[in-house]
Amino acid sequence: MNLDQIKTISIHGYLAKNGFHPQRKNEVRGIYISPIRKDNNASFSVDFQKNLWYDHGIGKGGSIIDLVSEMENCSIPDAIKKLESDSFSFHRESAICNEKQERPEQLFTILKVKKLGNFALIDYLNERCIDIDIAEKHCCEVYYSINNKRYFAIGFANNSPNSYELRNKYFKSCIGKKDFTYINNGAKRSVLFEGFMDYLSFLSMQEDRHLSTDAIILNSTANAKRALDLLCKYDEIHSYLDNDQTGSECSLFVQNHYPDSFVDCRKEYSSFKDLNEFLCWKNNEEKLGYLR
């Protein structure tokens, strides 16, 4: 990676990797507790679009390179080496499509799609407690370029041709058209998820690792309206959406259309953000119990 590529590494993603999350944020900016000094007032700002940071408490800021130098107490050359040695090629999230942002399709090119096997992606799935055999069955590796810069990620196909949800350790996005994913097993019952990590988590929690129902993975709650025509045919719709405002609004939306068949399963993980967070906690508790 050259310096320009290194500077596109997401500051937001790097901070999250190291346990720092915004105290408040909008689409443009996040405000954090400073990761480089003692801070009681959340005075560390990250510009998501420019991918720059500024610590108002000490009047210092810069790029991801400057941040790593400060956080690791190392020289700029050592910070560059640390970032170069990271196992992912990744970029700031604002450069990728998301649910609220359009982008020129011609800038995105799928280079290769292959069977999942890259060690960095496997490590990420292990961190999320996803059964690797399940991931290999339902996901792939997508290699793609943006403005002639090359990246790779876990790919999960949606219902539009040549379109994938993309995930790696530092970002989540899509390539192609945003759409839901429909898995049709000819069942009378369906399970409903917001994202594919929750779908994989659900399968990882089954004893036989098998899906006996149909499944709809929205890949964005904005796709709920488009999925209504599919949902109407089911006797039961077991919903595993997120425990946040968006998840609640989407749950209510589907329930209002199909009150007799809708089953809200979020009570099973009501203390957690989503099903994957519950799976990670559950696995950790089992490991601690074994150690005891």
Side-chain angles (χ1 to χ4, degrees):
M1 298 176 72
N2 59 38
L3 280 179
D4 288 338
Q5 290 174 321
I6 290 172
K7 287 181 179 180
T8 66
I9 292 173
S10 168
I11 291 175
H12 172 64
Y14 185 84
L15 289 171
K17 175 188 173 185
N18 287 277
F20 293 95
H21 303 281
Q23 302 295 297
R24 55 188 184 278
K25 68 175 181 176
N26 55 33
E27 293 180 20
V28 178
R29 190 177 306 277
I31 305 298
Y32 296 73
I33 297 292
S34 176
I36 61 177
R37 62 180 177 85
K38 186 175 181 180
D39 181 15
N40 297 320
N41 300 312
S43 53
F44 185 93
S45 175
V46 176
D47 188 316
F48 298 141
Q49 294 183 344
K50 295 180 180 179
N51 201 40
L52 296 171
W53 63 274
Y54 188 80
D55 192 322
H56 295 271
I58 56 176
K60 184 180 289 188
S63 70
I64 181 70
I65 297 171
D66 303 300
L67 178 60
V68 172
S69 176
E70 292 288 338
M71 289 179 65
E72 301 292 333
N73 193 26
C74 65
S75 67
I76 293 295
D78 285 343
I80 291 171
K81 288 179 182 178
K82 178 175 176 59
L83 289 165
E84 282 180 326
S85 67
D86 223 306
S87 36
F88 279 117
S89 293
F90 59 110
H91 43 77
R92 69 177 184 271
E93 293 167 349
S94 60
I96 300 292
C97 74
N98 57 46
E99 297 166 16
K100 300 179 181 179
Q101 182 181 24
E102 297 295 331
R103 83 278 191 251
E105 293 289 342
Q106 67 271 18
L107 299 180
F108 286 66
T109 304
I110 295 178
L111 304 174
K112 179 171 59 175
V113 177
K114 60 180 290 188
K115 181 180 177 181
L116 183 63
N118 182 281
F119 76 94
L121 300 179
I122 297 297
D123 283 348
Y124 171 60
L125 289 166
N126 281 326
E127 287 180 13
R128 301 290 295 267
C129 299
I130 300 299
D131 185 287
I132 302 304
D133 289 338
I134 289 172
E136 289 175 344
K137 180 178 179 181
H138 294 275
C139 301
C140 57
E141 284 177 23
V142 179
Y143 292 77
Y144 58 100
S145 66
I146 304 173
N147 292 334
N148 296 318
K149 295 179 181 178
R150 295 170 178 256
Y151 308 101
F152 64 93
I154 299 163
F156 182 76
N158 64 37
N159 274 28
S160 291
N162 298 316
S163 298
Y164 297 89
E165 301 302 311
L166 301 176
R167 298 289 186 278
N168 68 29
K169 191 172 184 177
Y170 302 102
F171 77 99
K172 62 180 182 179
S173 187
C174 66
I175 191 167
K177 184 179 179 181
K178 194 75 173 176
D179 202 351
F180 63 82
T181 303
Y182 179 44
I183 297 172
N184 183 4
N185 291 320
K188 289 294 185 180
R189 182 164 69 91
S190 180
V191 283
L192 178 67
F193 305 94
E194 182 172 336
F196 76 85
M197 279 295 174
D198 291 320
Y199 170 61
L200 298 178
S201 298
F202 178 83
L203 293 178
S204 297
M205 295 168 72
Q206 308 304 306
E207 284 191 14
D208 57 1
R209 304 295 197 266
H210 177 70
L211 182 69
S212 59
T213 69
D214 290 1
I216 295 175
I217 301 91
L218 296 174
N219 298 317
S220 165
T221 55
N223 287 324
K225 185 175 182 180
R226 300 179 61 202
L228 287 177
D229 289 343
L230 281 175
L231 290 168
C232 71
K233 69 178 186 177
Y234 292 106
D235 296 337
E236 296 180 17
I237 304 165
H238 288 233
S239 176
Y240 293 87
L241 299 178
D242 291 359
N243 281 314
D244 57 14
Q245 182 177 347
T246 302
S248 296
E249 290 173 354
C250 187
S251 296
L252 185 60
F253 173 78
V254 177
Q255 186 175 22
N256 285 340
H257 281 82
Y258 305 114
D260 295 331
S261 55
F262 184 83
V263 180
D264 193 342
C265 299
R266 293 185 300 163
K267 59 181 178 293
E268 297 177 16
Y269 51 99
S270 59
S271 299
F272 301 88
K273 175 184 176 294
D274 55 31
L275 194 60
N276 181 252
E277 187 176 278
F278 172 62
L279 170 64
C280 292
W281 172 84
K282 186 171 179 288
N283 282 11
N284 187 55
E285 286 295 297
E286 289 176 354
K287 288 179 182 177
L288 289 174
Y290 175 79
L291 290 173
R292 294 188 191 108

